[in-house]
Amino acid sequence: MQIKTAAGSHLRTIPSDGAKHLRRLLYTWGLLFTLLFASINLLFPNLLAFLNFKTTDFIQETSRPQQPALDVVVVAIDEASLKRFGQWPWSRYRLAQLIETINKGEPTSIGLNMIFPEQDRTAPILWQENLAKEFGYSVDMSNIPNELLDHDSFFAEAISAAPVTLGYEFLFEPDQISSANCNPDRPAIREKKQGDRQSTRARFFRASGMLCNYEKISLAGPRRGFLNGTPDADGVMRRLPLLIEFQDELYPSFALSVLMQHKKHDLLSLDTRAFPAARVHLAELAIPIDDTGNVLLSPLWSSNSSHHLSAAAVFEGSVPVNSFAGKIVLVGLWGSGLSHEYATPMTPEIPLLLLQKLAIESLAAEPHTVRTWNCFVLEIFFGFLLCALLIPCIVYFSTIPSLLLCLGSILVSWFFAVAVYRINGYLFSPLLPTMAIIVNCLLLHGLKFHFFKKQAISETGEVTLLLQSSKSELQSIVRTIPDIIFRLDQNGIITFVSPAVSRYQKSPEQIVGQSVFELVSPKDLDKAQWRMNERRTGIRATRDLEIRLLLAGETDNARERFFSISAEGIYRGNESHSTGFIGTQGIIRDITNRKLLERQLMQAQKMEVVGSLASGIAHDLNNILSGLVSYPDLLLLQIPKENPLHQKITTIQKSGKKAAAIVQDLLTLARRSVEVNDICNVNDIILDYLDSIEGRELTDRYSKTVLVTELQPGLKNIKGSVVHLSKMIMNVIFNALEAMITGGELVVTTANVFENGDSRDHSQKLIPEGEYVLMTVTDQGIGIAEGDLQRIFEPFYTNKSMGRSGSGLGMTIIWATVRDHNGYIAITSREGKGTTLSIYLPVTKAEGAPRAKQIDLADYRGTESILVIDDVAEQLELASDMLIELGYNVQTAMSGERAIAMLKNQQMDLLLLDMIMPGGMDGLETFQQIIRFRPNQKAIIVSGFSESERVKHIQAIGAGAYLAKPYSLKCLAIAVRGELDRVS
């Protein structure tokens, strides 16, 4: 059986086995991708949140706005009112008159959309009190009516006599100060739920405090509701909280309280079992809320209008009072600079007063706008269902019909979303189904195209036309060209190669008939198969393709070299078309020497980049490791040695120190922490390491190897860092031992040598003339391949198992340490014979200092005051605990700005100052500010990074010692005591 499928402009006949394979491929990938897409969107819904917002806004815009079910009148204190009665704030006496005037019209509910947290400063009774307190004057107010003396009392009487709803705000930040004597409404709420009450409200907003009206006003108000609301992430107000939990009680919003007053109804019913959204029942209304207690705003005709009644017109009597009868009246501010403006899906900006009007009308609208988590889940299910139905269409239909079906499915999903919203208010976003369909369509059509392309290649005949040309003329020209000229047939078989290939230990006769890919290094095989035998001509032809070929040079034994290949397709006739392709021809140029120069440049750049990266990582790791290295010091002081925990804590500390040593390797790699000013002797360093616990453990582990030391007596001193040189020696010996798999003899020698300037290091650089200490390590190991010799000092380059042989930084640390000490490395190796590593370090005439004696921690205690400054809370706590253990009086500051503020009010004997504090002032800037008002302030600099130029700068202007993180209790004690005892 055969089926016919359209591919581009051709009809191709596919055997039945191929058709079955194609169907299985498309079904499998289509279903897998649809499941993956659905899972990603279900687990990470915020990825498409912004686009979903814009999609649902479009759905609402395409739906005709509803007529509001309620008549809400807006009375605004607008610019005309301010011009008539003066600037805001008005006296509450005037506001009371406004409420009384509106109440004469017998409205069902009056919403006062503002908060009065303080007393009215314009009241005469406050004038009298302030004049008497400030200036001792007494004012005769016997002629002023009582209602004009205390505006707050008059205002309270006015709102208590009217169906007024007052506003207040909930607070959510712990440091915000809550108003006293708040008296918010707590309506009776009957909850229909599944599970316990805590789980029912698990996602409701929970407030920590309240901002209320002045007590006299708050107690007089018949009803109250919160005014809180926050736009979505894109700044558009689409929802307002309907209920907020405070002290285990649910409180209604301002809009809901106004509506409850209008309906004369005090009982709310919360049904969390409703699907797809929980509902709040008020009388006959069933108001849907989302998972966090929000109600979505509905697009309504009246709220899109800017019409309102001016408070000035109400005062002047130009508005009939009966126009308020039986209606909801909202009173608030409206005007430039008086009220916040908010964007909604239907309007670019809307005053807060109109936003509350829209909220009230949305609560009473039918149908309500509903969008919850359940809607999102249904969108994912609908998208999966559509994709599952479209996969058979894409499998069986050709490209154009299947694309039309995909487009039709997308249109159906959008029309469906619009229709559902218009009918019952459920707001579904067709974005997810649309994206799933588009990506599935592209993926499956791409797979079909790839299948047909392979089918076309397999059906191409093996007809090969030999180029008819004069062989003798061609060969004479070809012999004069140093580059290799070649031709391939359409399958990549070499049909011709020029005699220039003979320079690479192969004759043309040996190569002709082979596949060109047999000459390609396995490292570049994929690239070669993709580029070397393509059907490209003109500007699309392959140009300067860099590739490695298995061709040895005339004078070296390298198994592969670098070449540049330029090639293009050969076609029957003058036009390049798929059926006329007969092969490829091109030129191969040897670029090995150029690549060696490029590699040397890249190596230098790579070491610089890796060094910068390593220094940044080391800084962060040193902060993290401080707890593992420093806290055990404190714990071990408190736990006797016989306690089983003593050994375990010691083990933890050792692990932390080992991790810190690795960080030190990173800093060495970065070449930012090596001070080579100590006078030291290489013999002493070698003997100390071999006699250390680590050295003995290492030699015990490799028991088959005999370690022989031939150290020259009277070895001259060098300038260097004992820590880094010891680490370098450890890495050299460790690498040598690992190379000696079957054991043998490892010889470490030292000698005083004089170089005359003729020797070269591993990079063929001349070693300058002078006196050196030469350390040589010779092993009888497996040796190093010639191709690896130039790469062994690259970071992380290793052909050993990472789990057994470390991080791959060992040889890089050796290279960096020798370079920091102005030394040189020479290396010789033969596979199967062993390796000799020679390190040249310049001699110094200076004499070394005697070794430091063991210290007693009791000698370094004190009682002075110390301020610890660090932006990391854990570092503050760690340093404080250690200093308190040493007896000092400790205070802390988490930023340079905070430390400056503290020091302006009190004096500290010493600062323990972190150098790196991102996001604010660093250690240098902080100390520069401090010494302006405390010029003799003592300080110790601490950093997990390295001793940089900024550290040296801060020390130059008065700071003391530099302490690297992580530090031990003894190191901290010595540094602190030394700085405190230093004479200024």
Side-chain angles (χ1 to χ4, degrees):
M1 183 186 75
Q2 296 180 337
I3 63 172
K4 290 185 178 181
T5 307
S9 58
H10 303 285
L11 282 177
R12 299 195 180 278
T13 302
I14 304 176
S16 59
D17 291 342
K20 291 178 182 178
H21 174 68
L22 176 61
R23 286 197 295 269
R24 286 196 300 269
L25 181 69
L26 295 181
Y27 274 123
T28 302
W29 279 102
L31 290 174
L32 283 176
F33 183 80
T34 303
L35 284 171
L36 178 62
F37 190 82
S39 301
I40 291 175
N41 285 284
L42 188 62
L43 295 174
F44 306 101
N46 291 331
L47 290 176
L48 300 177
F50 177 80
L51 293 177
N52 267 320
F53 283 146
K54 299 307 177 185
T55 303
T56 54
D57 291 347
F58 174 78
I59 298 297
Q60 289 185 297
E61 290 172 5
T62 57
S63 303
R64 187 169 60 182
Q66 312 169 39
Q67 292 293 343
L70 291 177
D71 194 356
V72 180
V73 179
V74 174
V75 175
I77 301 173
D78 54 8
E79 294 180 2
S81 304
L82 299 179
K83 185 176 181 181
R84 173 71 177 79
F85 295 104
Q87 294 302 312
W88 185 259
W90 285 354
S91 71
R92 289 174 196 163
Y93 176 80
R94 190 175 305 282
L95 289 175
Q97 288 181 317
L98 179 62
I99 297 300
E100 287 180 340
T101 304
I102 294 173
N103 193 40
K104 290 178 182 178
E106 298 183 355
T108 58
S109 181
I110 301 174
L112 199 54
N113 186 33
M114 55 187 74
I115 303 176
F116 308 96
E118 298 178 346
Q119 287 181 277
D120 188 354
R121 303 295 182 183
T122 65
I125 191 171
L126 287 182
W127 299 351
Q128 185 182 35
E129 292 177 0
N130 291 334
L131 287 172
K133 180 187 295 184
E134 297 291 336
F135 306 104
Y137 292 134
S138 176
V139 180
D140 182 13
M141 296 188 179
S142 59
N143 294 327
I144 300 177
N146 290 333
E147 62 270 18
L148 294 181
L149 285 174
D150 187 354
H151 292 174
D152 287 321
S153 298
F154 186 67
F155 183 60
E157 291 177 5
I159 62 177
S160 64
V164 173
T165 298
L166 296 173
Y168 64 90
E169 288 187 4
F170 277 119
L171 305 176
F172 294 90
E173 297 296 333
D175 56 348
Q176 291 178 311
I177 301 175
S178 181
S179 300
N181 301 317
C182 289
N183 186 30
D185 279 352
R186 283 188 298 191
I189 298 179
R190 183 173 58 231
E191 297 186 44
K192 300 177 182 178
K193 59 184 184 301
Q194 293 175 336
D196 59 10
R197 178 175 181 176
Q198 194 68 22
S199 63
T200 302
R201 302 180 185 172
R203 302 188 66 184
F204 279 23
F205 295 114
R206 294 183 181 179
S208 60
M210 306 178 72
L211 177 63
C212 303
N213 291 286
Y214 177 49
E215 182 179 4
K216 187 178 295 184
I217 298 172
S218 180
L219 294 174
R223 285 187 183 275
R224 285 152 294 276
F226 61 80
L227 295 169
N228 298 77
T230 303
D232 288 323
D234 59 350
V236 178
M237 188 73 76
R238 297 182 178 86
R239 67 201 76 231
L240 287 171
L242 193 67
L243 298 172
I244 289 180
E245 186 175 352
F246 177 62
Q247 296 180 349
D248 295 328
E249 296 290 344
L250 292 176
Y251 292 86
S253 68
F254 178 78
L256 182 56
S257 293
V258 170
L259 190 60
M260 292 171 67
Q261 178 70 40
H262 171 73
K263 292 189 172 290
K264 302 295 185 290
H265 203 84
D266 292 328
L267 178 63
L268 295 176
S269 177
L270 175 60
D271 186 2
T272 60
R273 299 174 301 177
F275 183 83
R279 297 184 181 273
V280 175
H281 294 272
L282 171 63
E284 75 283 358
L285 290 178
I287 306 168
I289 58 176
D290 65 12
D291 308 288
T292 54
N294 294 312
V295 61
L296 269 68
L297 301 177
S298 299
L300 300 167
W301 277 115
S302 66
S303 295
N304 296 333
S305 170
S306 62
H307 175 68
H308 67 279
L309 300 178
S310 175
V314 175
F315 275 123
E316 293 168 355
S318 57
V319 177
V321 293
N322 60 4
S323 61
F324 302 131
K327 299 178 181 178
I328 295 175
V329 180
L330 287 182
V331 180
L333 299 172
W334 185 326
S336 177
L338 295 177
S339 174
H340 292 292
E341 302 285 336
Y342 296 93
T344 69
M346 301 297 292
T347 57
E349 56 183 26
I350 184 173
L352 178 60
L353 196 56
L354 278 189
L355 183 64
Q356 291 294 348
K357 178 175 184 263
L358 175 60
I360 295 171
E361 292 173 344
S362 297
L363 296 180
E366 288 291 344
H368 294 91
T369 299
V370 182
R371 178 166 178 79
T372 65
W373 173 258
N374 295 322
C375 296
F376 183 73
V377 174
L378 289 173
E379 291 164 11
I380 293 177
F381 174 76
F382 184 67
F384 179 81
L385 182 62
L386 275 179
C387 291
L389 294 175
L390 284 173
I391 290 173
C393 301
I394 297 174
V395 170
Y396 285 100
F397 296 156
S398 59
T399 303
I400 293 178
S402 58
L403 288 176
L404 291 176
L405 282 172
C406 292
L407 178 61
S409 301
I410 293 173
L411 294 175
V412 167
S413 65
W414 283 80
F415 282 120
F416 176 77
V418 173
V420 169
Y421 180 69
R422 288 183 177 180
I423 295 171
N424 56 24
Y426 291 116
L427 190 56
F428 290 99
S429 169
L431 179 66
L432 287 177
T434 299
M435 293 184 67
I437 292 172
I438 291 174
V439 178
N440 249 310
C441 184
L442 294 176
L443 173 69
L444 298 184
H445 280 93
L447 288 173
K448 285 178 68 175
F449 175 78
H450 179 70
F451 179 86
F452 292 134
K453 181 181 178 181
K454 289 179 63 178
Q455 186 71 19
I457 294 174
S458 66
E459 292 175 355
T460 302
E462 297 185 358
V463 178
T464 303
L465 298 178
L466 298 176
L467 298 176
Q468 302 298 322
S469 61
S470 173
K471 257 186 184 181
S472 58
E473 291 181 2
L474 178 62
Q475 289 179 352
S476 64
I477 295 173
V478 167
R479 287 192 189 98
T480 63
I481 300 175
D483 298 331
I484 301 173
I485 302 173
F486 69 94
R487 282 184 183 172
L488 311 176
D489 67 12
Q490 60 186 2
N491 295 317
I493 304 300
I494 300 173
T495 60
F496 171 80
V497 64
S498 67
V501 75
S502 300
R503 290 186 297 151
Y504 301 98
Q505 302 180 16
K506 285 184 180 291
S507 64
E509 292 76 15
Q510 291 176 296
I511 295 177
V512 171
Q514 293 184 8
S515 170
V516 69
F517 303 114
E518 295 179 13
L519 298 177
V520 177
S521 169
K523 303 170 187 175
D524 292 333
L525 188 58
D526 291 339
K527 180 166 62 173
Q529 290 174 337
W530 176 248
R531 296 287 303 278
M532 278 189 64
N533 201 31
E534 286 191 275
R535 306 178 180 191
R536 301 195 196 195
T537 59
I539 60 173
R540 297 183 65 252
T542 299
R543 294 285 184 267
D544 299 322
L545 171 65
E546 293 186 3
I547 204 167
R548 282 165 285 195
L549 299 180
L550 301 177
L551 295 175
E554 293 177 301
T555 59
D556 58 43
N557 295 320
R559 290 181 297 175
E560 59 184 29
R561 297 177 67 84
F562 284 92
F563 294 86
S564 172
I565 298 178
S566 297
E568 65 177 12
I570 307 172
Y571 293 86
R572 182 188 299 110
N574 296 323
E575 294 184 1
S576 56
H577 51 85
S578 59
T579 57
F581 176 74
I582 59 175
T584 303
Q585 63 184 3
I587 297 176
I588 301 175
R589 176 169 297 169
D590 192 340
I591 58 170
T592 303
N593 293 333
R594 189 187 80 188
K595 292 297 293 183
L596 290 176
L597 293 175
E598 290 176 355
R599 180 179 294 172
Q600 292 175 5
L601 176 61
M602 289 180 63
Q603 174 70 9
Q605 294 173 339
K606 185 190 303 182
M607 295 301 295
E608 182 66 23
V609 171
V610 172
S612 299
L613 175 63
S615 63
I617 296 172
H619 166 257
D620 293 337
L621 287 178
N622 273 332
N623 276 330
I624 296 170
L625 290 172
S626 292
L628 288 176
V629 174
S630 303
Y631 263 126
D633 277 338
L634 296 176
L635 295 174
L636 292 174
L637 290 176
Q638 302 170 15
I639 298 175
K641 289 187 176 180
E642 58 272 18
N643 191 314
L645 292 177
H646 191 282
Q647 181 59 38
K648 295 179 179 178
I649 294 172
T650 302
T651 303
I652 293 173
Q653 188 180 43
K654 287 181 179 178
S655 298
K657 289 181 178 179
K658 288 180 180 178
I662 296 175
V663 174
Q664 189 62 40
D665 287 349
L666 291 174
L667 287 175
T668 301
L669 178 62
R671 304 186 69 248
R672 297 186 180 183
S673 66
V674 179
E675 288 292 332
V676 293
N677 297 322
D678 297 332
I679 306 302
C680 48
N681 189 278
V682 174
N683 281 354
D684 294 339
I685 298 173
I686 293 173
L687 293 174
D688 286 347
Y689 169 71
L690 294 178
D691 193 48
S692 67
I693 296 175
E694 291 84 359
R696 291 197 298 270
E697 287 179 350
L698 186 63
T699 53
D700 291 342
R701 190 192 316 168
Y702 296 90
S703 58
K704 296 180 180 180
T705 303
V706 177
L707 180 61
V708 178
T709 57
E710 299 176 358
L711 310 181
Q712 178 176 330
L715 192 70
K716 296 181 180 180
N717 292 332
I718 65 170
K719 272 191 176 182
S721 166
V722 175
V723 173
H724 291 82
L725 288 172
S726 179
K727 184 71 174 180
M728 177 197 73
I729 290 169
M730 180 202 74
N731 281 311
V732 171
I733 294 175
F734 177 73
N735 281 320
L737 289 172
E738 277 210 324
M740 300 169 66
I741 299 174
T742 60
E745 188 176 84
L746 173 63
V747 181
V748 180
T749 65
T750 59
N752 297 317
V753 297
F754 180 87
E755 287 296 324
N756 56 12
D758 294 333
S759 301
R760 296 179 181 270
D761 68 358
H762 77 285
S763 62
Q764 300 304 309
K765 181 179 180 181
L766 286 172
I767 300 175
E769 180 179 325
E771 289 185 282
Y772 295 88
V773 169
L774 172 61
M775 184 184 78
T776 304
V777 179
T778 303
D779 66 61
Q780 297 176 344
I782 58 175
I784 303 172
E786 184 176 351
D788 294 334
L789 273 176
Q790 297 302 317
R791 299 192 61 192
I792 61 172
F793 295 110
E794 292 182 9
F796 309 111
Y797 178 77
T798 177
N799 54 13
K800 298 178 289 188
S801 170
M802 287 290 289
R804 180 178 67 87
S805 303
S807 62
L809 287 175
M811 296 301 291
T812 309
I813 298 302
I814 296 170
W815 174 86
T817 303
V818 172
R819 184 174 176 182
D820 286 332
H821 288 74
N822 300 314
Y824 300 88
I825 303 177
I827 185 168
T828 58
S829 183
R830 290 179 61 190
E831 288 188 82
K833 299 296 183 180
T835 302
T836 297
L837 186 71
S838 301
I839 297 174
Y840 296 81
L841 299 172
V843 166
T844 181
K845 301 298 184 181
E847 294 294 330
R851 298 193 177 186
K853 65 178 182 179
Q854 203 67 9
I855 71 165
D856 186 0
L857 196 61
D859 298 334
Y860 294 88
R861 296 183 177 273
T863 59
E864 289 89 340
S865 59
I866 300 177
L867 176 62
V868 182
I869 308 167
D870 200 308
D871 63 327
V872 180
E874 293 83 358
Q875 295 295 319
L876 282 178
E877 181 182 358
L878 173 61
S880 298
D881 290 346
M882 296 175 76
L883 290 170
I884 291 171
E885 177 65 29
L886 293 170
Y888 294 103
N889 181 18
V890 183
Q891 295 192 46
T892 61
M894 286 199 69
S895 66
E897 294 85 348
R898 175 61 181 160
I900 292 170
M902 293 175 65
L903 289 170
K904 286 182 178 179
N905 298 321
Q906 58 183 315
Q907 187 169 354
M908 305 300 291
D909 297 318
L910 179 66
L911 307 180
L912 191 65
L913 177 59
D914 187 28
M915 193 63 193
I916 308 297
M917 294 185 286
M921 300 171 65
D922 70 354
L924 176 57
E925 294 168 334
T926 301
F927 192 70
Q928 287 174 331
Q929 294 288 335
I930 291 172
I931 61 176
R932 289 181 182 177
F933 59 89
R934 295 200 186 279
N936 296 321
Q937 178 64 61
K938 294 183 177 182
I940 291 177
I941 308 306
V942 179
S943 177
F945 187 75
S946 60
E947 193 168 356
S948 62
E949 290 299 321
R950 291 181 73 82
V951 172
K952 295 177 181 177
H953 186 180
I954 195 173
Q955 289 176 323
I957 62 175
Y962 167 79
L963 195 59
K965 296 179 183 177
Y967 45 78
S968 66
L969 183 61
K970 287 185 178 181
C971 291
L972 178 63
I974 293 172
V976 169
R977 192 67 264 162
E979 182 63 18
L980 287 171
D981 295 339
R982 179 172 62 90
V983 178
S984 301

